[in-house]
Amino acid sequence: MAEEEDLADMPRVVGVLAALLERVTERNDAAAAELELAVAGAPAASAFRATTKPDITVRAYMARIARFAGCSPACYVVAYIYLDRLLRRRRRACAFSVDSYSVHRLLITAVLAAVKFMDDICYNNAYFAKVGGVSLPEMNYLEVDFLFGVGFDLNVSLETFGHYCAVLQSEMLCLELEPPPSPSPAPAARLHCFLSEDDTSSSGSTQHQLAA
């Protein structure tokens, strides 16, 4: 696939994070479809939720960001941490998840926040808006909403960084050992639920967040 070829030249963390988000997106899409059949009602409103599904895949979108954003590999780990913090906080207030309607805006905004915090030199919001395929006013709004969503908690300790690196390394090994997909979907065998590290046994939500 073209997007897989694009990711081949990128830091491995880019491909691993793309695969993780893609898997989470597929599971949450399936869960949302089941909920729509059981309960009538519109999804929770969010600035990150698009009105239609973007045509570009998560892998191709991730490859585009990695190619044009010019940020350090550590930024993608920090972006993953920020996404986890956002979703953990938002989950308490409303049904908010990473799905096909939200993953792209969440991803570009998380990377933008991470690169500004981590790298000494970075592109401005207008550039990131072009990379992400959104308007500059929307990019600015998403950034502000994201920062409030994480409670402006942008600092990442070395321990936390290492913790999430270990998760991504585990994902990388799983991807390398993972057999080709079977025609019928198999139940999830592994869950990296950093989003619910204080609530690993919760059954109140049917949707995975950053559980891969």
Side-chain angles (χ1 to χ4, degrees):
M1 295 177 67
E3 58 264 25
E4 290 178 349
E5 294 176 358
D6 290 340
L7 287 171
D9 298 330
M10 304 298 171
R12 300 195 73 177
V13 64
V14 175
V16 174
L17 184 56
L20 188 155
L21 290 173
E22 193 172 60
R23 186 158 58 249
V24 173
T25 297
E26 291 172 356
R27 290 180 182 176
N28 283 340
D29 284 347
E34 292 178 3
L35 285 175
E36 286 178 4
L37 292 175
V39 180
S46 168
F48 297 100
R49 187 172 180 82
T51 54
T52 59
K53 293 182 181 180
D55 294 330
I56 187 170
T57 65
V58 175
R59 288 174 184 260
Y61 194 70
M62 193 75 184
R64 176 178 173 81
I65 293 174
R67 173 163 284 108
F68 294 109
C71 56
S72 62
C75 286
Y76 298 102
V77 180
V78 173
Y80 175 42
I81 295 171
Y82 288 170
L83 283 171
D84 197 28
R85 289 177 179 175
L86 173 75
L87 297 171
R88 188 169 54 219
R89 290 170 61 95
R90 287 286 179 93
R91 187 183 57 174
R92 299 168 185 167
C94 62
F96 183 81
S97 65
V98 178
D99 59 19
S100 293
Y101 292 91
S102 64
V103 63
H104 300 82
R105 283 173 168 80
L106 285 169
L107 186 52
I108 188 66
T109 312
V111 173
L112 173 63
V115 72
K116 283 187 174 183
F117 190 79
M118 293 289 294
D119 291 354
D120 295 329
I121 301 175
C122 65
Y123 293 108
N124 59 22
N125 284 28
Y127 182 85
F128 267 86
K130 291 181 180 179
V131 172
V134 298
S135 66
L136 176 56
E138 185 176 13
M139 187 78 262
N140 292 338
Y141 184 82
L142 290 173
E143 181 186 23
V144 172
D145 194 45
F146 191 90
L147 292 174
F148 275 99
V150 298
F152 292 87
D153 182 14
L154 301 179
N155 188 55
V156 176
S157 67
L158 290 175
E159 181 181 6
T160 298
F161 185 84
H163 203 37
Y164 280 83
C165 280
V167 172
L168 292 174
Q169 287 174 348
S170 175
E171 285 292 325
M172 181 176 65
L173 292 174
C174 289
L175 287 172
E176 292 175 349
L177 298 174
E178 197 172 61
S182 56
S184 58
R190 61 186 185 279
L191 296 177
H192 294 315
C193 300
F194 274 22
L195 223 145
S196 55
E197 52 193 33
D198 58 342
D199 186 23
T200 55
S201 62
S202 173
S203 60
S205 173
T206 59
Q207 288 186 308
H208 297 281
Q209 298 294 332
L210 288 190

